[in-house]
Amino acid sequence: MTSISTDNIQADFPDLPQSFWLASSTIPEFPSLSSDIKTDVAVVGAGITGITAAYLLAEKGYKVAVIDSGRVLNGTTGHTTAKLTAQHDLIYDSYISHFGREQSRLYYEANNEALQFVKQMVKEREIDCQYSEEDAWVYTCSEEYIEKIDSEYRAYEALGIPGAYNKQIPLPLKTLAAVVMKNQAQFNPVPFLLYLIQQILRHGGQFYSHTTVNGIEKGQPAVVKTAGGSKIVCDYVISASHFPFNDISGFYFARLHAERSYVLAAKTAAKYPGGMYLSAEDPKRSLRSVQIHGEPMVLIGGEGHKTGQGICTFQHYEALREFGKTELGLEKIAYRWSAQDLYSLDNLPYIGQELAGVPNLFVATGYRKWGMTTGIAAAILLSKLIHGEESPYEDLFAPVRFHANPSIQTFVIQNANVAKELVAGKLGMIHRTVEELQIDEGAVVRINGKRAGAYRDMEGALHLVDTTCTHLGCEVEWNEGERSWDCPCHGSRFSYEGNVLEGPAKKALGAVTHPV
C-alpha cells in the first residue's frame, strides 16, 4: 500500500467518544411518558426506522406515538457512517446461491427504493444534510479475494445492478480488484430525520424519551407497558428498538448476534477523491468524506467484532489511526465513536410481522451495519403492511422465515458461542483488585468473594456493579474505549454506573457495596 508521510502529525484521540452527527445538531428533548395514552400506532425506537415509519404513517393520517428508552437518535442511527447504498459488502453472489436470483434482486430493489426516497425528500424539501451522490466501491488488496470480487461483479450483471469491475480504485491504495455500484449516496442522517420529526409533530404525533418498554399485552387493541407503569393502548405496535423489546416470545436473542465497529473523523494530508469505499477482507476498512465545520475530512471506519469479545477496545481506534496515517496522511482526529449492529441468522433483516398469529405487532431488526437504506426500506414496508397495502418485499424479509441453509448452521454456531461465553464468564480467573485501579480505569474485580465490575472515574470516585447481565445471566466485560460494560452473549451494554445503554437487557446491573 501507498505510504504518505506528513510532518507534525497530531493524532491524539478526543478523550470521550462523540458522534459528529449528534454533536453538530441540536437534538430536541422530549418528556418521558408519565400517563396512559391511546394512539393508532405505537412505535418503539426513535432511530431511522421508527422515525421514518412514524412519518409515513402520519402522512397517511394515522395518529402515532414514538417512544425511546433514551434520547431520540442517540442509538445506532446517530453513530453510523451514513452511507446510503444498496452495496452491502460482497453479498449478492452469496444471496443468489442461498435465496435465488429473484429474491436477491428484490433485496437490491428494496434498498434502492430507500435510497431514492431520501434523494427525493432532500431535493423536494430542501433538507440541508450534506447529501451527495457517490459511487460505492468494495476493493481488495489481497489475492485471496480477487475471485470473490469477480464473482460479485458477475452477480451484479446477473441482477442488472449498474456497476463495473476495476483493478484500481480512485484512492491511493495498491488494490488488486474492485467492484463499484454506481450512483449511490452519503448524507448526515440527523438533520434529515429532524425534519421528519418536525413533520410528525405537525401531524399531531407524539414523542417520549427515557421511556423503557418492558412488556406487551397482545390483542386488539394491544397494550404496550412501560417500566414506569404507564401504558399505551394502540391498534398497531412497531418494534424498531434495534433489539426487539419482545425478544423472549420471538426468541430473537437466539436469532441475532451483536457486533461493534469504530469510526474516526479525521483530517488527512491526501486529497480525498470522492466515493465510498469498503475493504473486502478483514479487518474492515470503510472510507467516505464529510464536512466538519467547513473543513473536508474523512470518516475512517471498521474493526468490527462481536460485542464484549474484542481486544482492549481502544486498540481498535488505534488500528484505524495507523491505517489513516499510513494510507491517507492522517493529521488530526476531530471525533471518534463506535456503533453496535445486529446480524440475523441468514444475513437478511427481519422486517414484518414479529410473531406468527399476532397480526398487529411488527418488528424491524438485523440490518448488519447497513441501516441507512435497510432501515428506511423497513419503514416503507411496515407502513404499507399497517395500511393494508401489498409489498413485493414482504416474504423476503418476513421474520417468521427460517431457511435451512445457512440458518441452521449459523444458529448452531452462534448459540454455541453464547454457551462458551456464558461458561467462560462464570469460571474466568480474576486478577485485579479495587485498590489497583487508577483514575479512569475499569476492570472486573473480586469483592466479598464474588465477581464485580469496578470503575474509578476522573474524580477518583469508585463505581461498583454486579457483572451478571440482567438479560440471561452472562457476565459482562469492561469496554475501555466506551467506558461501558458489554455482554458477550447477546450484546447488552451498560454504563459504568450500571444503567442500560443497549438491549436486549431492560434492567440495570445490580449494585455492589465495597466493604469498608
Side-chain angles (χ1 to χ4, degrees):
M1 294 186 179
T2 304
S3 178
I4 300 174
S5 62
T6 61
D7 295 327
N8 300 319
I9 291 178
Q10 296 180 347
D12 293 336
F13 294 102
D15 181 52
L16 294 175
Q18 183 181 40
S19 161
F20 166 69
W21 312 129
L22 297 175
S24 60
S25 297
T26 301
I27 310 299
E29 291 283 357
F30 294 101
S32 60
L33 181 62
S34 57
S35 62
D36 296 349
I37 62 171
K38 291 184 179 180
T39 190
D40 295 331
V41 184
V43 180
V44 182
I48 192 166
T49 300
I51 292 172
T52 307
Y55 166 78
L56 293 171
L57 289 165
E59 288 280 304
K60 295 177 187 291
Y62 289 85
K63 183 179 180 182
V64 298
V66 183
I67 62 177
D68 197 281
S69 60
R71 296 182 64 195
V72 299
L73 297 172
N74 206 43
T76 299
T77 296
H79 294 83
T80 175
T81 54
K83 295 178 178 180
L84 282 163
T85 177
Q87 186 193 67
H88 299 167
D89 208 338
L90 300 179
I91 59 167
Y92 288 101
D93 180 58
S94 174
Y95 279 2
I96 290 173
S97 298
H98 292 302
F99 311 121
R101 187 173 296 185
E102 181 179 352
Q103 295 288 74
S104 301
R105 174 69 191 185
L106 285 175
Y107 182 87
Y108 167 77
E109 290 176 354
N111 284 278
N112 186 59
E113 181 181 335
L115 169 59
Q116 299 309 316
F117 170 82
V118 176
K119 179 180 180 179
Q120 182 177 355
M121 286 288 294
V122 169
K123 181 178 180 181
E124 292 182 355
R125 309 299 176 90
E126 298 181 342
I127 304 173
D128 184 9
C129 60
Q130 288 199 35
Y131 180 92
S132 65
E133 290 195 356
E134 308 282 347
D135 290 342
W137 300 77
V138 179
Y139 69 88
T140 185
C141 301
S142 169
E143 293 185 357
E144 297 178 12
Y145 281 82
I146 294 176
E147 185 176 346
K148 292 182 180 180
I149 294 282
D150 183 63
S151 296
E152 188 74 358
Y153 175 61
R154 290 199 300 269
Y156 282 22
E157 290 184 311
L159 298 174
I161 297 174
Y165 178 94
N166 293 83
K167 288 186 176 181
Q168 184 60 42
I169 62 176
L171 283 174
L173 305 178
K174 292 181 179 178
T175 57
L176 300 176
V179 60
V180 60
M181 188 176 289
K182 299 288 188 178
N183 303 318
Q184 305 302 287
Q186 62 187 27
F187 75 146
N188 180 340
V190 172
F192 176 82
L193 293 170
L194 288 176
Y195 173 83
L196 298 190
I197 289 174
Q198 292 174 355
Q199 301 309 305
I200 295 167
L201 294 171
R202 185 174 64 84
H203 283 291
Q206 300 165 290
F207 281 83
Y208 298 96
S209 299
H210 307 292
T211 301
T212 300
V213 173
N214 63 1
I216 184 170
E217 294 177 8
K218 304 179 186 68
Q220 192 61 266
V223 179
V224 176
K225 299 184 291 186
T226 70
S230 301
K231 297 179 180 180
I232 305 174
V233 179
C234 54
D235 296 324
Y236 302 95
V237 182
I238 293 176
S239 175
S241 54
H242 198 45
F243 204 104
F245 69 85
N246 202 35
D247 68 287
I248 297 297
S249 297
F251 289 96
Y252 285 92
F253 66 88
R255 299 165 60 192
L256 293 162
H257 79 268
E259 293 196 6
R260 296 200 67 74
S261 55
Y262 302 82
V263 183
L264 301 179
K267 178 177 174 57
T268 62
K271 184 178 180 180
Y272 194 81
M276 305 181 297
Y277 305 88
L278 181 71
S279 65
E281 60 267 30
D282 292 325
K284 291 294 184 183
R285 295 292 179 260
S286 169
L287 297 162
R288 58 151 289 187
S289 60
V290 65
Q291 287 283 326
I292 295 182
H293 309 307
E295 190 173 15
M297 294 195 186
V298 180
L299 296 187
I300 306 171
E303 289 289 304
H305 65 86
K306 282 191 175 182
T307 301
Q309 299 184 34
I311 57 177
C312 172
T313 49
F314 214 92
Q315 292 182 34
H316 296 293
Y317 287 117
E318 292 171 341
L320 294 178
R321 177 182 63 182
E322 291 309 306
F323 172 83
K325 288 169 62 177
T326 302
E327 305 301 342
L328 300 171
L330 185 149
E331 294 180 327
K332 70 176 182 179
I333 298 171
Y335 294 88
R336 68 173 177 93
W337 68 87
S338 66
Q340 183 150 305
D341 296 273
L342 295 173
Y343 287 63
S344 70
L345 292 177
D346 58 8
N347 287 329
L348 282 177
Y350 300 129
I351 307 168
Q353 186 175 314
E354 181 174 354
L355 302 170
V358 186
N360 60 340
L361 178 58
F362 298 91
V363 69
T365 187
Y367 299 157
R368 203 176 56 89
K369 293 186 172 73
W370 300 103
M372 293 297 95
T373 47
T374 311
I376 290 175
I380 294 171
L381 172 56
L382 296 182
S383 66
K384 286 185 176 181
L385 294 178
I386 287 174
H387 198 56
E389 300 176 55
E390 293 184 355
S391 170
Y393 315 123
E394 181 176 357
D395 291 339
L396 172 67
F397 295 124
V400 295
R401 74 183 185 272
F402 194 85
H403 300 294
N405 184 15
S407 291
I408 290 178
Q409 180 183 8
T410 307
F411 181 86
V412 172
I413 292 172
Q414 295 300 342
N415 285 282
N417 178 261
V418 168
K420 178 181 75 70
E421 292 297 331
L422 176 60
V423 173
K426 301 296 184 185
L427 301 180
M429 295 295 292
I430 299 172
H431 303 287
R432 301 296 302 278
T433 66
V434 167
E435 291 72 23
E436 294 174 343
L437 291 182
Q438 303 298 311
I439 295 295
D440 193 27
E441 185 179 14
V444 174
V445 298
R446 188 170 294 280
I447 295 177
N448 296 329
K450 296 182 179 180
R451 194 180 198 268
Y455 170 71
R456 195 176 299 281
D457 65 25
M458 301 299 287
E459 283 72 44
L462 187 64
H463 303 267
L464 298 174
V465 297
D466 186 334
T467 58
T468 301
C469 180
T470 57
H471 177 227
L472 290 178
C474 290
E475 297 297 319
V476 298
E477 299 292 343
W478 179 245
N479 178 337
E480 181 185 8
E482 314 303 315
R483 296 179 177 86
S484 63
W485 293 103
D486 298 356
C487 178
C489 291
H490 301 108
S492 296
R493 298 181 60 242
F494 305 84
S495 71
Y496 61 78
E497 295 173 318
N499 298 317
V500 177
L501 296 175
E502 298 199 51
K506 299 180 178 69
K507 296 181 180 180
L509 295 175
V512 172
T513 301
H514 186 248
V516 179

